[in-house]
Amino acid sequence: MKKIATFVTALSLALPFAFAAAPLAANASVTSSQTVAAKTAGTTYTMTKKGATFFKKAKFYHTKDKSPVYYKGAFAADSATFTMTKYSTLNSAKTYKVTRSVTGIAKKTHKTQTFLYVKGYGWVKSYSLTKGIFKQAD
């Protein structure tokens, strides 16, 4: 009799957890499919690394009227390839600190492209930024 009472008690304690986990599992599958769709929608560049530079002291760059796109970089540890995936945009007319740069050759087009790392944001194409601190025009 004692075994049956222990079994019923354990079952009654575990039953609410079984029903509570079911909606979370269904919700998790929806979230992951939305995340995959969002990641595949962005522009992606796969490149072969040509060179990289780390600045001892951060350099100041600024944006002009347009808001440049910044990318999240994924660098391969065992090969000289990296992937840049579009993430968001920077604010226009603002100064940013740049701490490193990387140059790569695109696998599809075989063109050379340089990316600058904006501290706190991500990688930006070098032609989108201008050296120096932003100064408001009169």
Side-chain angles (χ1 to χ4, degrees):
M1 188 70 176
K2 187 175 179 183
K3 289 182 182 180
I4 294 174
T6 305
F7 178 73
V8 170
T9 305
L11 184 63
S12 65
L13 291 174
L15 199 57
F17 292 115
F19 288 114
L24 293 177
N27 199 12
S29 66
V30 171
T31 305
S32 64
S33 65
Q34 290 171 348
T35 306
V36 169
K39 286 185 179 181
T40 57
T43 306
T44 302
Y45 297 102
T46 302
M47 308 184 101
T48 303
K49 189 165 79 169
K50 187 176 177 184
T53 306
F54 291 87
F55 305 127
K56 289 182 180 179
K57 212 174 182 185
K59 295 184 178 187
F60 291 102
Y61 282 79
H62 68 273
T63 58
K64 292 191 176 185
D65 296 336
K66 294 186 179 179
S67 299
V69 174
Y70 69 90
Y71 301 85
K72 292 296 178 184
F75 294 86
D78 57 347
S79 66
T81 60
F82 63 94
T83 303
M84 295 289 181
T85 305
K86 181 180 176 181
Y87 192 73
S88 187
T89 58
L90 295 175
N91 295 329
S92 61
K94 189 173 177 186
T95 303
Y96 295 99
K97 289 183 180 182
V98 173
T99 57
R100 54 191 153 195
S101 71
V102 66
T103 303
I105 300 171
K107 290 204 174 204
K108 289 183 180 178
T109 62
H110 301 290
K111 292 184 179 180
T112 303
Q113 181 65 52
T114 301
F115 289 90
L116 301 172
Y117 183 75
V118 177
K119 190 174 182 178
Y121 294 94
W123 296 91
V124 180
K125 291 183 179 180
S126 62
Y127 63 78
S128 300
L129 297 174
T130 306
K131 275 189 176 183
I133 296 173
F134 177 76
K135 294 178 184 173
Q136 186 70 36
D138 290 333

